[in-house]
Each structure stands twice: as C-alpha cells, then as structure tokens.
Amino acid sequence: MGSGTVFEDENGASPLADTVVASKRISIFGLGYVGAVSLACLARDGHRVIGVDIDPVKLALIRDRKSPILEEGIQELMRDVVNSGRVTVTADAAAAMRETELSFVCVGTPSAANGSQDLTAILRLAEQIGAALALKDGFHTIVIRSTVQPGTVEDKIEPILERASGKKAGVDFGVCFQPEFLREGSSIRDYDHPPYTIVGANCEASVDQVRALFRHLDTRFLVTSIRVAETLKMACNAFHALKITFANEIGRVSQSMGIDAHEVMRLVCADKRLNISPAYLKPGFAFGGSCLPKDLRALTNIAKQNDIELPMLSSLLISNRVHIDHAVDRILKLGRPKVGMLGLSFKTGTDDLRESPLVLVAKRLLGEGCELRIFDPEVQLSRLLGANRSYIDANIPHLGSLLCGSIEEMINPSDVILVGLQQSALNDALQVHVQPGQFVLDLVNLPNRDLLRCRYEGICW
Ligand SMILES: NC(=O)c1ccc[n+]([C@@H]2O[C@H](COP(=O)([O-])OP(=O)(O)OC[C@H]3O[C@@H](n4cnc5c(N)ncnc54)[C@H](O)[C@@H]3O)[C@@H](O)[C@H]2O)c1
C-alpha cells in the first residue's frame, strides 16, 4: 500500500463485520499498545480503520498481518482484521484524515526529565491533524485517548487544531477526551469489558459518534467535562499506585512480625462496606478521632522497631496535618478575622474531641490571635469526661468561654464561618442567618450551598 492510499485491501464483507450495524471510517494515530489494540478491536467490530504511525517497522508488521505489540490474542486478531480488508496503515496523516470521519489519538506522552509530561508528539500531531482538517469538508471528530495532564486538550490541543485548520472546535470539528483503561497483558479483554466508557466533551455531535462506537459494550456510558475526564485518568492511575503501595507496605510490616500478609490483605478486601467501597473517598476535611491517628502511629512505630521503612503509611499523618494547615492558612489570608466554627468534635453526631482536626484548627486560630466562637450541638463542657476532657483541657483550656448556645450566636458576629458539621437543621440555619458580607469556608461539602447568600469556598473543591 502506498503511504497516501487507504482501504486499498478492501475485499468485501467478512464474517467479522456482520455484528456491526453502522460501520464508521476511523483513523488511529499511534500504533503502540493502546492504538494497536483499538485498531484491531474496532476493525473486529466491523469498522474500517486506518492506522497511522511514524515508525515504519510497526506499519510493515501490520501490513504483514502481524501485531507490533505482544498481547494475549492480538496476533490472531490482527491477522484476521487485516485479512478482512478493513485495516490499512500509513505514515500519511493527511491521507488518513481525508478518508475518515473520526480519529483516535493514541501517541505516547512519556515523562520528561523533570517529571512533567512530554507533549511533543501529541502537539506536533495536532498541527498535522489541523492542517489536514483545513483541506477537509464535513464534520470530523478527534478523540484524544493518550493520557494527558488536565487542561491539555482545551488549552493546548484545541487551539492548535483551530489555528492550523482555520476552523472552529465544536462547530466544524469536535474534540473529546476518552481515557483508556486497558491494562497491558489483558488489553483485548479490558477493551471489551471496561469499568465504564467515559467521554469528556463539550460537543454533543462528537459524544454521539463515540457512543455509537461503544454502544455494544455491556457497561455504562458516561459523559463529563474534558478537564474532569483528563483528571480522572490521572486519579485512577494514582489510586492504583496507592493501592499497590498500601498492600506492599502492609505486607512488609506484617512479614516483619511473622504474620501472614496475604491473609491480612484478603480480609481487608473482604470488607466491602468500609474498605473496598466509596467510603472515605470523598474530598473533605482531615481525619482525626481516637483511633485513626493513634493506630497509624502505632503501626509505623512497629515498623521502625523492626527496621522496616513505610514511607507511604508514615506520610499519612503529615499529609493530614498539611490539610489542617491549609484550612487555617486560608482563613489567615483574610487577615485576623473573627471566626465562627460550626462543629468541634471529630465527626458529626459525636462529642468525641480527641484528636479532632477541628480542635487543632481552633487552637491554631487562637494562637494567631483570631477571635473565635464555636457552636457544636453535641459538645457540652459539663458532659465531657475522662480522656475526652483531658484532651480539650490540654489544647483549649478556656473552651467554655468560646462555646455558643445557638448557631445564630456563633454566626452573627463572625467574618468567616468554618463549617465542619453537617445536619439538615444546621444547613437550613446557615441559609437563614449567614449574611452577604460573610464568608463560608466549607469542610463538609454542604448541600444547597448555592442558596447561601455569601461568598463560599470549599476546602479542596
Ligand atoms: N500502555 C497502556 O497500557 C496504556 C493504558 C492507558 C493509557 N495509555 C496512554 O496511551 C498513550 C499511548 O500509550 P502506548 O503505551 O500505546 O504508547 P506507545 O509508546 O506504545 O505507542 C505510541 C506510538 O505513537 C507513535 N507516534 C509518535 N508520534 C506519532 C505521530 N506524530 N503520528 C503517529 N504516530 C506517532 C509512536 O511511534 C508509537 O508507536 C499514552 O499517553 C499512555 O499514557 C497507555
């Protein structure tokens, strides 16, 4: 096949094509792990696919009905789809664009020396795709599947496409970001059984095109903003790395005590309510209370005594402290405001103040000279006993003079209201009593915050 020719091997219907209703013409840029698997699977599903790569070896391999990557089932599939005539490959990006209505971008985005993402290949390719769009009639959808840092699609790729094509994104062509969740080694299975198909887009026509391609998969099809989809992909990979590191650190410390690490982690994973679940996975405020900090300290201390390093587990209390400092610093940026705190205990519905992050916030604000009022319906000084009482006596000995008898008493004189407690009656009271000149810093992801008549900020959203 000449480099500018496409679909020249078309040799009529193949049994593989029978399953698909609407066959599309698709170009795939980058024939590495992601691109080669997508090319083979899309062609298997009946679409006509042009693969584009700058590596002549990969192109020659595919023309020779061989896969450029090693994956379970890919050699047979590549042979079948190339034989079907629905796959061609080329180094000519412009020709591939001309002959297709939809393009997947799967080029590499490796780490640069300083750890940033090297976007050279994808941005150079955007120039080429833009130039080809300039010469093309009709709407074209470009789906970015390479993992890119948040903002890349809208702030870098789209402007290049618009400038190089002289056309308008969302009008003459559509751009979306569809993160790829395949794992090397089981790519074809993962392609067919993704956790979900998710598209970040601001162009309905492009979403419809992608939806049509993946409609047959037995999974949810979700649409979000491009930036959320870009961040999601990075968050997923960070979460996977976190899970692996967690299991390995629990493994090392268990081993150092002669305890069966596999049995420990098997039982950790058997709890689907608190452990393997969405529990504790919402952005919010720091953890605290009488168990988490204490037990983390004990575990990392065991490791220290056994000469075991646990960098991740040891960093958790540090990160938690940074989160508390972040709340205090945000308030102090306003000068030395009068602060009203809604909530003091370590979580809603308890009066346990031990290692409550809100107590640490209060202590620091007092130390910085802020005037402070606190309202927590569960906390009454006269009822605090034992370790709970000792903790508060050690940290805020004059707590009694700061506690208010009602939420209004706390809100009215305050410049800033720090919301660390969630209850529907208290949410309603905030809406009624907070005034336009005040500032709400939310630690609990308040529902109905749009109804607040004042300046609002979330602690990490
Ligand atoms: N490998 C995975 O399991 C995986 C999974 C999900 C997402 N991703 C992401 O997908 C992207 C691709 O990953 P990969 O592992 O397939 O990369 P890869 O390095 O295996 O392949 C990238 C391909 O792009 C080609 N290329 C570079 N510039 C090009 C250009 N201008 N035109 C056409 N082709 C060009 C290269 O020659 C190479 O064949 C990366 O951003 C990666 O982070 C990878």
Side-chain angles (χ1 to χ4, degrees), residues 244-294:
I244 292 167
T245 309
F246 177 81
N248 289 343
E249 290 202 358
I250 293 294
R252 286 204 299 277
V253 72
S254 299
Q255 184 190 43
S256 76
M257 296 183 286
I259 291 164
D260 182 344
H262 286 293
E263 179 70 347
V264 172
M265 282 310 296
R266 193 182 65 73
L267 291 170
V268 165
C269 296
D271 174 356
K272 306 276 191 274
R273 207 156 59 84
L274 296 183
N275 292 348
I276 310 302
S277 78
Y280 307 120
L281 281 172
K282 294 191 185 90
F285 199 42
F287 62 79
S290 62
C291 295
L292 266 51
K294 168 177 80 72

Side-chain angles (χ1 to χ4, degrees), residues 358-373:
L358 291 170
V359 170
L360 299 179
V361 169
K363 187 177 171 183
R364 266 208 62 198
L365 288 173
L366 288 168
E368 296 286 345
C370 293
E371 196 177 308
L372 195 62
R373 286 174 183 76

